Amino acid sequence: MVNKKIWVLLTLLCMVVTGATVYIASSFKTSEQKAAEAQTPEASVITASVENRTLENILPLVCSVDYTDQRELTVTNAAPGAQYTSVDIVQGEELGNGSLVAEVNGAPVFTLLGGFSLYRDLTLDAQGPDAKLLNDALVALGYQLPRVGADIDTVTEETYRALGVLYTSFGYKPLSKEEAIPASSFIVLNNHATVISKPRSTGDVSSEALALLSSGQKELACKPATGTLSPDAATGQRLRLNTGATVTYPVEVKSEKTTTGANAGSEAQAVPNTQTGTDTGTKYVAVQVPESDLGGLSRFNAELILDSSPQAGLVVPSSALYTTGQGSTLKLQEGTETRDITVRVTFSANGYSMIETDSSTGLTEGSQVVISTGTS
């Protein structure tokens, strides 16, 4: 039993001695080895492939769906102190002839289609273009037959009857022919229009508009994610949505205008496509895109193409170019060797340069060029 213990101890002692010997041997280095380790490592070579493509100078933008031809929906001829006692429109609603939009002091307010606003209250036998506008709207609604002769621009008992049909269809008591037809009961629109903002609440008519309308089409309003639009952006340039599609769309550079917002109380707000208001000087890019191309989305990343090369050509990273007495050169990597090639830069954008060179140099698409050197 004692001999077995001695044998185990001797075995462990041998293992310790052997490990120490290996460690000391591995730590020992000749002066030549130490000098070699002290030297700077050999420089590594970083290369890039030569591409054949067009080159674009682009500006990243963020786009959101907006509307053209915006205007405010408001009653402009209400009496001082008049109150909206009901607001009867919703965002997204289309307005035209006979649309109920609100109540003012309990009386209904409808939209009509025409070229000018009603400028007076109308009474029985009143004649004029405003009477014709009202008659035309009631005919368009199907509430009366088309007028002929002097009846075209005259308020008659038939006008009152047809208007009464409109009133009762919304639950209001018709006007009697002894009552005047208030001009404040109608807002005249040039065309059918869509409510594009959240309508205001009830209250003082003069405090703010009922809502924002658009009689145009959807478009994209695009700006940089931060800061202001580059002065290089210009009408006629083209924009590409970052949706994977290759199609581009022409753009128009517009100025935002300050207007009294539909939900901003008395405060002014900037609305990109509002047609009236004070120019804020803030520029944005407007682009009309078919709704089918929007895919139901309302916000996009996009690229504004500020300018581009006229055609495809050889493209290298600009960091591959060196300036020498002969002009611009690059180093062509061929196996373990490099060769200087003189080139002419024809276009540069976003860290890349398009180059031309003599075909005898052997520089082609797929060639490897040195872009930098560094220690590994």
Side-chain angles (χ1 to χ4, degrees), residues 112-125:
L112 301 179
L113 298 182
F116 55 89
S117 296
L118 298 185
Y119 48 86
R120 59 173 175 166
D121 294 347
L122 294 171
T123 56
L124 187 63
D125 297 327

Side-chain angles (χ1 to χ4, degrees), residues 310-361:
Q311 58 191 17
L314 297 180
V315 174
V316 299
S318 297
S319 57
L321 299 172
Y322 304 84
T323 302
T324 66
Q326 288 72 42
S328 295
T329 64
L330 51 76
K331 294 183 180 296
L332 176 63
Q333 184 78 29
E334 297 176 316
T336 59
E337 303 295 326
T338 61
R339 176 161 55 92
D340 287 350
I341 295 178
T342 300
V343 298
R344 183 170 69 90
V345 177
T346 59
F347 189 85
S348 294
N350 300 319
Y352 288 87
S353 294
M354 182 169 287
I355 57 172
E356 291 180 348
T357 188
D358 194 315
S359 59
S360 63
T361 61

Side-chain angles (χ1 to χ4, degrees), residues 182-303:
S184 59
S185 288
F186 303 98
I187 301 174
V188 181
L189 308 176
N190 291 329
N191 300 287
H192 286 85
T194 302
V195 180
I196 61 171
S197 70
K198 182 180 178 181
R200 59 160 285 174
S201 58
T202 55
D204 188 352
V205 169
S206 63
S207 67
E208 58 179 313
L210 278 166
L212 278 177
L213 300 182
S214 172
S215 56
Q217 59 184 335
K218 286 184 179 179
E219 71 175 17
L220 296 182
C222 307
K223 297 180 182 179
T226 58
T228 58
L229 190 66
S230 166
D232 294 331
T235 295
Q237 293 170 344
R238 300 190 73 85
L239 180 136
R240 178 172 50 239
L241 299 178
N242 290 347
T243 58
T246 58
V247 65
T248 60
Y249 309 92
V251 307
E252 181 180 357
V253 176
K254 296 183 179 180
S255 293
E256 289 184 351
K257 296 182 183 298
T258 298
T259 185
T260 302
N263 295 297
S266 59
E267 296 182 1
Q269 65 177 8
V271 181
N273 290 325
T274 299
Q275 301 302 302
T276 59
T278 303
D279 192 336
T280 66
T282 301
K283 304 292 184 181
Y284 70 100
V285 169
V287 54
Q288 295 184 7
V289 177
E291 194 158 356
S292 59
D293 291 357
L294 299 179
L297 301 177
S298 60
R299 190 172 176 86
F300 301 84
N301 290 324
E303 297 173 337

